[in-house]
Amino acid sequence: METFIQPKILKGFRDFLPQDEILRSDLIEKLTKTFRSYGFVPIDTPVLEYTEILLRKSNGETEKQMFRFEDNGGRDVAMRFDLTVPFARFTAQHKEELYFPFKRYHISKVWRGEKPQVGRYREFVQCDFDTVGSDSAVSDFETLSLMKAALSAIGVDEIKIHVNHRGIFNRFLKKLGLSEKSEDILRAVDKIAKVGEEKVSAELEEITGNADSSAKIIDYIKPLSSFEETLSHIEELAGGEDEDSKRMKTIFSMMKAAGIEGTYMLDPAITRGLDYYTGIVYETFLEKLPSIGSVCSGGRYDNLAGLYMKEKLPGVGSSIGLDRLIAGLSELGITNAKGSYLDVEIFNTDENLNVQYQEVAAKLRKEGISVEVFPDTVKINKQYSVTDKKQIPWGIMLSSNSETANTITLKNLKTREIFESISIEDAASKIKD
Amino acid sequence: METFIQPKILKGFRDFLPQDEILRSDLIEKLTKTFRSYGFVPIDTPVLEYTEILLRKSNGETEKQMFRFEDNGGRDVAMRFDLTVPFARFTAQHKEELYFPFKRYHISKVWRGEKPQVGRYREFVQCDFDTVGSDSAVSDFETLSLMKAALSAIGVDEIKIHVNHRGIFNRFLKKLGLSEKSEDILRAVDKIAKVGEEKVSAELEEITGNADSSAKIIDYIKPLSSFEETLSHIEELAGGEDEDSKRMKTIFSMMKAAGIEGTYMLDPAITRGLDYYTGIVYETFLEKLPSIGSVCSGGRYDNLAGLYMKEKLPGVGSSIGLDRLIAGLSELGITNAKGSYLDVEIFNTDENLNVQYQEVAAKLRKEGISVEVFPDTVKINKQYSVTDKKQIPWGIMLSSNSETANTITLKNLKTREIFESISIEDAASKIKD
């Protein structure tokens, strides 16, 4: 007796069936197109790297989550867990071949052995774009503008991008004499959307050791009614105008010049826990589904590749969480995936016409029409069930007595309208309309 | 003193710099578009699978080449070494959710720990497409037709696709009483293009034990002057017409009906070493560079997922060797990669105009134009050196006294033609021409 091996995949990994993969491809293609239109270019790096390259930037959590092993040559290697560390290694390694400012996008899979749970996978796609080698407000704004444009390109217009500046916050904390506790404070503040003001306030009191400091921080992080008001407020609390607050004003002027200021709010509670960021930071929420968390986040850093080279490379970047976004779109009912990319199915009703079918298909393809011939001469209902699944708008039939393939029957598979005995040229123009 | 970690990648792995990645993306996008236009849909499978799933179909060579390890949960896992085995597992696992005939394409990376050498990498991209669940000549032909269309889409028109049928060859060997030695014979014959007739003849004599059989096989595998002549010849040698030779006649008629018969030759020496194939088999050679070997190969099999389920799933598929193809294109000088996807650079000559630059950029983007603002106010020559690298056709400048951004200076960066004080609308229409 033959034995079969049970087909199965690893926990936390996923197969993508056509409908899901068509949706994902569609989103990636639209994002790609938008990244490109802003001057970003693609790069690629290996999935496997030396573990020491990947590990240096991370904490113990990352190390535990890595897919790490010894390869056949005895090398300590690991699968990348993000696209940032490989990008840092890449820029340091190729700095002589690149030009700066350098703007790259990278959309690819990364792996983390996290405990699988709803919406968390061990294999997932990151969509990153970064501008490195410039410290300018132009790049800050362009990044914010591209975040909006990219989400808009995939049909997500009802968003709010929360922006903040780590430098202003740090100056404020310094003024309060709390610089040394800033990491803890930033981490506490970052949780306010999740746990609420009361809990953050209590935690801040514990960190700072007094209720007054806690109240001042809570006052600082509350957004007022407009971007400009909030900016004046935090600028004042931090001790007046400086380079950082001037930059925020410039960025806001750029938003107005581009007519997109309504998408952004200044939110002093956004800190992005990582000590990596030094300038603006931002998170993006779906207005109708804020609960799923930020779908696009990032910030400005001052030293991308410091582990690999002496030169400091400042930059600003953002990352779109594609899986979370797809989950959100599907919850909002705004996913709209095709079943295939076909315009026409040529139905196979008579094996003797197989050559004629190909003649018709070839003529339609010359017109730029996407077409397939149903492979087997089987019952028409079986053929319809496939064209339904593939959501094909048009069908073509040849009558069995057609010596040549000059006239055909065209059927609109949605409306069921039928055009009999028309020429291939006429069919082509109907399909293209 | 700070220590830096040397940025480097693993042997046999590659970084792709923008120019190379733009080329590769461009080819993949054109192939994808063509696959889709023939009714193929995308799927995705995990990079990591259970080793027992991947291993069952392979020989010892594959096992040695796999990146295989124990994951943190103690599972024996490996990175996929091709896209066929995961596809077989996928169809068996999801057979109830799929529809048949099922046509899928999959363009993705695979990993093999081969000894690195010129043109051989440990990480490379495969481009596969398969039709499963049909045994029809329609699918055979459609596969052959799509191979030509896909290569044509990426500018490779001077190709010859060598086609053969394993069934006819097997019948011929049976007639000679050599069925039991057919695997060895097929493998010997497969080498004729590489090692020449004399060596194959000697090897065949050794395998079959007599010079007469060897001579008969050599006679069989020699193509005559046309597809039809060769077909008559091998059909006769195999004992007359049967289903297999009839199918080859049908396929040839389809080629003629589609007007593409000139691309194909019947080449009885093509056997594709794998015992997996049962019907037509094919390889594709660049007419100007046959020495690099086949750039697109495949065939018909009768049992895709036999390791994972009882039902037999016949199919036909093909795989494009993207790396080999890129190497070939570059050797022929027909690669033509862009430096970016931008239409326009807005030069940054005055920091005080940063807001105006964004206003112009936003207006151009509304017109569908791809544009970036140079991030820093640096010497114009430094800005030109970046626009050169990015191969941007147009440049825009604002004069420092422009209060508003209503008129601009547009420069054709190739011809150096300059249009002064024109409106943004006029600039947009010139750029779009």
Side-chain angles (χ1 to χ4, degrees), chain B residues 359-360 363 398 402-408 422-425:
Chain B
E359 192 184 331
V360 176
K363 283 183 181 161
L398 301 194
S402 26
E403 280 289 303
T404 63
N406 288 333
T407 64
I408 58 170
I422 65 172
S423 70
I424 294 176
E425 292 68 32

Side-chain angles (χ1 to χ4, degrees), chain A residues 5 15-16 24 29 36 39 44 47 64 72 89 94 100 103 109 123 307 372 382 390, chain B residues 5 15-16 24 29 36 39 44 47 64 72 89 94 100 103 109 123 307 372 376 382 390:
Chain A
I5 187 164
D15 280 331
F16 279 73
R24 185 163 73 164
E29 282 157 27
R36 291 174 176 178
D44 191 40
V47 161
K64 264 184 274 165
N72 289 343
R89 193 268 309 148
H94 301 289
F100 295 97
K103 296 161 74 176
K109 284 183 177 174
E123 175 178 73
L307 294 169
E372 69 175 9
K382 162 118 170 90
K390 293 181 106 167
Chain B
I5 186 165
D15 281 331
F16 278 73
R24 185 162 73 165
E29 282 156 28
R36 291 174 177 178
D44 191 39
V47 161
K64 265 183 275 166
N72 289 342
R89 193 268 308 146
H94 301 289
F100 294 97
K103 295 161 73 176
K109 283 182 178 175
E123 175 178 73
L307 294 169
E372 69 176 9
D376 302 291
K382 163 121 169 85
K390 292 180 106 167

